[in-house]
Amino acid sequence: MGIISNRVERSEIKPGDHIYTYRAIFAYSHHGIFVGGSKVVHFTPERQNDSNSSPESSLNSYDEISDLSSSCPTYPDCGFRQPNSGVVLTCLECFLRNGSLYCFDYGVSPSVFIAKVRGGTCTTAPSDPPESVIHRAMYLLQNGFGNYDVFQNNCEDFTLYCKTGLLTVDRLGVGRSGQASSVIGAPLAALLSSPLKLLMPSPVGVATVTAGMYCMSRYATDIGVRTDVIKVAVEDLAVNLGWAGSYEEAAEENEASDTTDCQDVNHK
């Protein structure tokens, strides 16, 4: 990929690639895994009623795919997702929504990573083989990826996990998303560099220091250099993210309900 842009043609992408496109006049990017056959698996906020919509859903208005299954003229299964899951399968056309196509870079050098000032375009972490990437994406399509969170569990976090199998141990901090770390890193860099205005009369000097702090904060949160990430098999993801407990509780409730029903039938 180029230093300036990761833009590619549709003929250039291959199954297992991490692709993305920009929304709202380049305000943010939406990410997914291309699984072949003009299909993309990606992660969005779950569909909610307007009366119960959360601020996250309002901020992430790209959850426009709720009715794709009926609006896509090409693929009848476009917009497929399991109930109560944000992982969805759509066609490439509906994923892009007339936007340009970009391909995320893996295994880049630190210098290239820092040179790409905008987050959410590359990582120093290497990618796993395409078959492993597609397996994770399709498994999560059937089993979900937990609750959507703008800063800790968003569409870029989903694709990064599918590509690398890496999971953040500290769920209280920022997730794996380079896009989220950029949003947090820019104000933090400005805040840390503000006292330097008293020592540096030149605005150029302050701007240079601020830019340097911003780049270093982005690099420090990249999954390729972080120490708080571990490799987790997709089949074990529910346990590591704490979903297993809720599943077990639901199973116990169903079992108790079935037992009660059987007792009622026998009593009658």
Side-chain angles (χ1 to χ4, degrees), residues 197-214:
K197 294 178 181 178
L198 301 175
L199 304 176
M200 292 185 179
S202 170
V204 176
V206 175
T208 302
V209 172
T210 302
M213 290 182 174
Y214 166 72

Side-chain angles (χ1 to χ4, degrees), residues 120-178:
T121 62
C122 64
T123 177
T124 59
S127 170
D128 286 336
E131 55 270 21
S132 298
V133 177
I134 295 173
H135 169 69
R136 292 185 187 118
M138 299 307 293
Y139 183 92
L140 294 174
L141 177 64
Q142 296 298 327
N143 296 276
F145 193 62
N147 295 325
Y148 187 95
D149 185 274
V150 176
F151 294 109
Q152 295 182 337
N153 202 46
N154 58 38
C155 61
E156 189 182 343
D157 290 309
F158 170 81
T159 48
L160 285 169
Y161 172 75
C162 288
K163 288 288 286 186
T164 66
L166 296 175
L167 188 68
T168 306
V169 176
D170 182 11
R171 288 181 291 169
L172 298 178
V174 67
R176 290 140 289 174
S177 169

Side-chain angles (χ1 to χ4, degrees), residues 17 26 34 38 52 77-78 84 103 110 119 165 202 222 224 243 264:
D17 278 352
F26 292 89
F34 180 66
S38 296
N52 297 324
D77 61 344
C78 187
N84 302 318
C103 195
S202 170
D222 179 58
W243 308 337
D264 290 342

Side-chain angles (χ1 to χ4, degrees), residues 11 28 32 41-42 53 74 109 114 119 154 191 213 246:
S11 59
Y28 62 91
V41 177
H42 47 122
S53 61
T74 308
S109 65
I114 293 175
N154 58 38
L191 179 64
M213 290 182 174
S246 59

Side-chain angles (χ1 to χ4, degrees), residues 6 9 23 28 30 39-40 49 51 64 74 81 88 94 97 115 129 156 161 167-168 199 215 222 224 238 249:
N6 287 1
E9 299 297 328
R23 300 280 199 258
Y28 62 91
H30 184 47
K39 299 293 181 64
V40 183
N49 297 326
S51 59
E64 72 287 337
T74 308
R81 71 169 87 197
V88 61
C94 291
R97 290 178 54 209
E156 189 182 343
Y161 172 75
L167 188 68
T168 306
L199 304 176
C215 290
D222 179 58
E249 290 175 4

Side-chain angles (χ1 to χ4, degrees), residues 240-253:
N240 282 273
L241 289 181
W243 308 337
S246 59
Y247 292 159
E248 291 171 358
E249 290 175 4
E252 290 175 357
E253 290 177 0

Side-chain angles (χ1 to χ4, degrees), residues 44-56:
T44 72
E46 295 178 22
R47 287 173 291 187
Q48 299 181 1
N49 297 326
D50 293 339
S51 59
N52 297 324
S53 61
S54 66
E56 290 176 9

